[in-house]
Amino acid sequence: MQIHISWQLPASLASELGRLSWDGQIYVRCSQCQFESRCDPAFISEDTSMELRCPGCSKEKVLETVVHAVLIEAICNDCGFADEYKSIEFGLVRCSRCLSQNVFAFRRGFHPSFPKVFCDLLTGERMGEDASADLKRVLEELQSVQILPDGVQYMLVGARFIERLADTSYHDDRRSLFFLENVRGNLYRDYFRRTFVLEAGLRAVRCFESAIELAPEDEMKAPVEHNVAMAVYSLIAKYPDEVVELLDNRTKIRELGIEAANRALAGYARQVDLETRSRELGRVHHLLGDLLAAGLERSEADLRASIVHYSRALAFFPDGSRFAVNVRVSRANAIWELPQATAEETQTAIDDLEAGLAQPDVRLWPEQHLPRYMLGAYYAKNGRVGAAIRELEKASALVLSDAGRMLDEALLYARVREYVPVLSCLAWLYGKEQRAEDALRATEALRAATIHANTMSAAEKATRSGQAIERSIEHLLGLYRPSTLKLPKVNQQLKRLRSSYPQASYVTLDIYEGKITCVADAPGRFWRRLRLIEQQITGDRKYIIDILKKYRLAWGEPSAFRERRLSKFFREMNQYVLGPLRDELMSFGLKDLIVTAPGPLYGIPLDVLERPNGSGYLASADLRTRFVPSLSVACDIAARQISGTGKLLAIGYLGTDLPNVRSEIGAIRNAWGKNATVIEGTGLNKRDVLAELTRGYDFIHFACHATFDELAPAQSALHLLADSDNDAMRITAEDLRGLKLETNPLITLSACSSGVASSDVGNDLIGLSGGFLRAGAGAVIGSRWPVYDDFSRAFMSELYAAFKKSPLDPSGAFHEVRNRRSLSDPLENWCAFSYLGL
């Protein structure tokens, strides 16, 4: 879960970084009359801006770039370094000495200051005098850049430009500030809807609340109250209420939205002369229904109350209108969520969806995939598999078309979370018809899309970029109509994986509504073939969800009861989920598995067996498992060349609370000899470690502390010091962004919870392990839970001795050491480490 806005510039503006001012614009100043003009950087080059005539004095070739930066006094809370510098504050704010983000920064204003009135260089229009005209210009420019793959990032640039206008040009104009805050809130809300970056959604609410306080007349408040309610709905539709409340430092966020919607309802009701009054009243009833039906916190009573509001909303809209279609879809969704919907309610939902999708202009509907997905799911429940597949294929075509336009990782991350259930339902339906290859193609279509965007070859990235731009232009012009489903071709990928790992078999699992669809690339008499396994999860699904949640959050914590808790967890998972699946896979003759599994099941080993005498657990000697996020990422890894030099980098720890680290590092150094480089002492810090990681090692070993942040996985970290708040002495998943590991190294993380990643169904693995894969690692060995220091030392010393013997088969060495340890060590020790990658 991401909780901070990434102020990284759109990629298309990277070349303009040296000319940009704090508000993301380019300014030029006339050397003769000193009048300033603004250039939108998306539309003007340096050569062009310098050749144009000054709007102030009409002279040519007299313009020079001026950068309006922030004067900052900064003190690093970690290393104590004090600095004064200018910044445009795009990207992470770090200490210039140690790279820590733990910096106290004091703004001293802009230098040079922004002009109150300036000119738009391309149009010649004056800005800073009429807020409405300025906002119209900004929104027109933002609309035109949406064809770009990173177009959504321009929303943040637009929001910052509006903030600059408010502070400099209209700071004493209450009416103008009202309009500026409302539009800024809309930009943050739209950015949140596209990216799920929580801070943007929270800022939207605050902007709208500020606009309400600034409203010069009461009748102007109703639309903004409406915006507050919509922003709250957007938040709770994507995140649990308590998470939003915690990060916004307020309570009852849903009630805040409902109260704002009711104030908007009352405000619209008083405006009898408002031309769109009927439509707005209907929209607010629709929104009240959405607020009641959203999220995990709502009850059955909330759902039934939402259905009442949807029925009221329909009274305001003509049947067949786009508004009515949207309300019907929302009503169908609420009925879907009812614990026990009646046959009459179910039929109402189906009628709503069929009526909406039959409308002539439905092809223009941007969210058409949702009703098609729900209708297909309803058909599936009623046993109409063929009709369900047809609807799901149409929904999937729309989903993949939209995702294909996005190369920005934040956008992909947001879309994958929303779109994966559509493909999962389709994969399950293909499985019911024994269409194994199609089920595999559907399952793989969106898995690990954000990781693949980093690991794909340069040639593939160039092709994807061209296709994304072309498709975006077609969408903007209304020319593109995805009519046929184009799922990824998996045969070529499977062939590449078989060629690189001939003894291994790729296995992918997917779960939809408690049903497992498993496709395995199994050996046959003469050639390999895809085998399909369908399995209904036995037992109480809510109970299984509960034990999975406890396993992630609590059962791995060290205590006298951990061995008992983990034993119970694996006993029940073997009974309900893993055991029957493992037995079927082994019946195919599979012994070496490369496994992809969804969400919370990701990384849970299939090869944990109960001892024959019931005295504990051991690793199966006949089954070797390693995990990959997706087939495409596995092929990306397999295509890379290992340098073969055998160079090793070991990174130590400065604290005294891990007494065995020194001997662990020493054992690895002795095994590797002159090929080992060790960082310890004064070289142990964020800056030096990040620099050393890129210097061509085949093996990289960390021996330290680690933490996993469930709410913000990108802040999960390796700690080089006991003080976990010292950012200069930790490596976060966020720090790994932009890192390039060219030699495909194996990363071992001898640290607590270092192998844990976010449980998103898209297998995006936001966290340390996923961060290293994005950077170019071939494999990551990390721990599933906190590990005892003495066991970690023994395990890693033994593991690196095995690596020395078999440097080209690290997963085999890991399998061998783990199996041997399982014969004598308790489950909480030998099962602690996982293998991700190849």
Side-chain angles (χ1 to χ4, degrees), residues 374-498:
M374 281 191 288
L375 185 57
Y378 273 122
Y379 286 159
K381 274 189 174 182
N382 292 343
R384 299 171 59 185
V385 176
I389 288 176
R390 286 192 293 274
E391 290 299 330
L392 264 296
E393 286 179 337
K394 291 176 184 176
S396 298
L398 292 160
V399 159
L400 295 180
S401 171
D402 189 50
R405 291 187 290 146
M406 299 165 192
L407 297 179
D408 179 83
E409 185 163 333
L411 291 180
L412 276 172
Y413 177 75
R415 284 298 185 260
V416 164
R417 289 181 61 192
E418 183 178 341
Y419 290 164
V420 159
V422 179
L423 276 302
S424 291
C425 186
L426 181 61
W428 168 61
L429 291 169
Y430 283 148
K432 288 179 71 68
E433 294 205 331
Q434 296 300 303
R435 296 165 60 177
E437 183 178 338
D438 286 337
L440 175 59
R441 294 170 70 200
T443 298
E444 292 291 332
L446 285 175
R447 272 197 173 153
T450 63
I451 301 177
H452 182 51
N454 289 271
T455 59
M456 68 175 66
S457 67
E460 183 181 355
K461 182 169 285 189
T463 300
R464 286 277 304 276
S465 296
Q467 291 173 344
I469 293 173
E470 181 181 351
R471 193 168 296 175
S472 294
I473 294 172
E474 289 175 340
H475 272 272
L476 183 70
L477 299 177
L479 300 176
Y480 188 75
R481 298 282 182 267
S483 56
T484 57
L485 176 60
K486 296 180 180 179
L487 291 170
K489 297 177 180 178
V490 296
N491 281 330
Q492 292 301 318
Q493 293 177 323
L494 287 171
K495 286 179 181 178
R496 287 199 294 270
L497 204 57
R498 291 166 186 163

